[in-house]
Amino acid sequence: MTDVTEGKIWANSGDSHIIEPPDLFSSLPADVKELLPRSVKDPGGAFETIYIDGQEFRREVPQPTPGTPKKKGLGINARPVDSTEDDFLRRALGGNDAAHRLRDLDDEGIWAEVIYPSLGIWTFNIRTPKVVRHGVRALNEFALDFQRSSSRFVCAASIPLLDVDDAVAEIRRASADGFAAGFLPTRPPLGRPIWNDEEWDPMWAAFAETGMVIAFHIGTEPHDPTERTGVHYRGRGGAVLNYVETTYGGQRAVTQLIAAGALDRHPELRVLVSEGGATWGPFIADRMDEGYRQHSAAVRPVLSRPPSEYLFDQVYASFQHDGSAVAAHVAMGWRNVLWGSDYPHFEGTFGHTQKTLHELFDGVDPVASERIRIGAFHELFPHVPLPPAAGRNR
């Protein structure tokens, strides 16, 4: 065992984000651009309307109480009490500048990172194949340009999901352009079959053919625009209930791929579930094995191995603060656990990354520590250079 209280610890991040510029779609054809996500505010300031591919919903804009100062900032309540609403905006804007972002990463002790889109989440709510094809292409061109800024950036390509042929074409194009991961929501767009359906088989084959990692990010389920993203509960305990609820989507997606035989048919496939913690992996593995064994008369398709083996071999999961996640590796045998910063989100470790890493890894076997901080990430993305030796082999 070793103690790493002194000195910087380096870690790769299996989860971070970039905020695309508001004019990203401005050069697209007018008939496409008008159907991509946009917000129009009421001239009186009482509400805003969000338009997405012919769908719209109205959201009231909070008004100041007479005699009190107007509230500033983003109106973000899902944040630590010692933060301000403007912190996220400053952080996000800084993170869009590659040089500034690399300074942040160096200060925090974060080396390489998987970077997910933000507007890309909204594209899964689009209903017209032509529109989503154009939107995804613009998102990926922006992400690819940013990725070229540093070999430490691994941007996840957005994938159009309204037509599986479009998905296959974009996966192949993205791989040829230099993407190493493809971003999928934990549930397909509304009206599309869930991930265990045979309709998706050509897409899993394309991921296997190209070697791109399937990258699920929790909390990305498409929904009707009249619903609020990530809000499933209100009232007492709502903040905690909603946060926990987001984790289940990644578990469902992985279970669907394994049970449907996608990982059996394509042993070269690798799946990453970002920001959903890690201790769920061994539990889901046990539960799948029990169902596969105890309900074997009804099991279709029959797999070559127990379901748990696909999860332990081909599925990876990132976490930020979870003290139990290290135990998923050292005590439960899941070697595919990797750390993630969630930069620049409030749920992440920005500003206290070193404190978090020391709390997680001080006293942990150095081989296990290196695997979680560096090795699992590098196994997924071997083209990324390793961090400095000092602070790596701890």
Side-chain angles (χ1 to χ4, degrees):
M1 308 289 270
T2 187
D3 182 30
V4 289
T5 304
E6 297 298 328
K8 178 178 286 187
I9 309 174
W10 283 102
N12 291 324
S13 171
D15 172 43
S16 65
H17 303 266
I18 193 166
I19 312 299
E20 297 87 353
D23 61 349
L24 181 67
F25 304 126
S26 61
S27 63
L28 296 181
D31 63 326
V32 170
K33 180 171 58 179
E34 67 180 8
L35 296 178
L36 288 165
R38 61 189 176 93
S39 170
V40 178
K41 289 184 170 56
D42 166 54
F47 62 87
E48 66 173 340
T49 303
I50 309 296
Y51 296 91
I52 308 173
D53 194 4
Q55 307 165 90
E56 62 182 77
F57 68 91
R58 181 175 293 185
R59 298 195 303 182
E60 292 184 358
V61 176
Q63 301 299 304
T65 302
T68 62
K70 185 177 180 181
K71 189 176 182 180
K72 296 181 179 180
L74 297 175
I76 298 173
N77 292 321
R79 58 180 175 83
V81 294
D82 59 351
S83 66
T84 69
E85 295 174 335
D86 290 331
D87 284 344
F88 175 74
L89 180 59
R90 288 193 295 270
R91 207 181 292 175
L93 292 176
N96 281 6
D97 177 84
H100 186 283
R101 189 180 187 107
L102 288 169
R103 287 194 298 272
D104 277 353
L105 298 185
D106 288 344
D107 289 344
E108 296 288 306
I110 301 166
W111 183 248
E113 53 177 1
V114 176
I115 303 176
Y116 286 92
S118 296
L119 282 177
I121 297 173
W122 283 101
T123 64
F124 301 129
N125 290 304
I126 295 171
R127 304 181 298 181
T128 306
K130 175 184 175 182
V131 174
V132 77
R133 283 197 303 270
H134 280 275
V136 159
R137 190 67 56 87
L139 284 161
N140 287 345
E141 287 174 357
F142 169 79
L144 186 62
D145 185 62
F146 191 81
Q147 179 176 270
R148 288 171 175 150
S149 303
S150 173
S151 59
R152 293 161 62 180
F153 297 155
V154 180
C155 290
S158 296
I159 308 298
L161 296 173
L162 294 180
D163 185 303
V164 72
D165 290 338
D166 289 343
V168 168
E170 189 61 26
I171 289 166
R172 289 173 175 159
R173 189 186 80 91
S175 175
D177 284 346
F179 284 101
F183 168 42
L184 297 181
T186 54
R187 187 178 66 210
L190 296 178
R192 304 287 285 132
I194 62 173
W195 297 127
N196 68 326
D197 194 273
E198 64 183 13
E199 182 174 335
W200 300 111
D201 287 355
M203 186 171 74
W204 310 135
F207 274 114
E209 167 196 322
T210 60
M212 287 177 67
V213 173
I214 299 169
F216 290 110
H217 193 288
I218 67 162
T220 55
E221 293 87 349
H223 59 81
D224 187 281
T226 59
E227 301 171 3
R228 285 184 61 189
T229 299
V231 177
H232 307 274
Y233 303 94
R234 298 180 184 274
R236 291 188 300 179
V240 174
L241 289 168
N242 287 321
Y243 192 72
V244 173
E245 186 73 28
T246 63
T247 65
Y248 300 143
Q251 299 170 33
R252 293 189 185 102
V254 165
T255 306
Q256 289 162 15
L257 263 67
I258 293 174
L263 302 192
D264 186 18
R265 293 190 300 275
H266 303 289
E268 65 273 45
L269 273 179
R270 295 296 179 268
V271 180
L272 170 63
V273 179
S274 292
E275 203 182 330
T279 322
W280 61 266
F283 161 73
I284 292 292
D286 284 343
R287 194 68 176 168
M288 285 192 297
D289 279 359
E290 185 174 53
Y292 189 81
R293 181 182 64 249
Q294 301 303 116
H295 292 180
S296 57
V299 167
R300 301 289 187 279
V302 175
L303 304 177
S304 302
R305 300 187 290 161
S308 61
E309 294 189 18
Y310 301 103
L311 187 143
F312 276 84
D313 288 351
Q314 294 172 252
V315 178
Y316 296 69
S318 82
F319 70 98
Q320 320 63 285
H321 300 98
D322 311 23
S324 65
V326 174
H329 173 96
V330 299
M332 303 179 199
W334 194 16
R335 300 187 70 252
N336 296 343
V337 174
L338 58 153
W339 181 81
S341 70
D342 196 29
Y343 176 95
H345 291 171
F346 279 124
E347 297 87 357
T349 66
F350 183 78
H352 60 272
T353 299
Q354 285 300 299
K355 178 176 182 293
T356 298
L357 291 174
H358 278 293
E359 289 172 349
L360 288 168
F361 296 107
D362 281 2
V364 173
D365 175 78
V367 174
S369 172
E370 194 277 340
R371 171 71 183 179
I372 298 171
R373 293 181 294 105
I374 307 295
F377 181 102
H378 197 254
E379 194 167 84
L380 288 174
F381 308 109
H383 68 283
V384 175
L386 291 169
R392 182 175 81 218
N393 301 317
R394 295 278 187 164

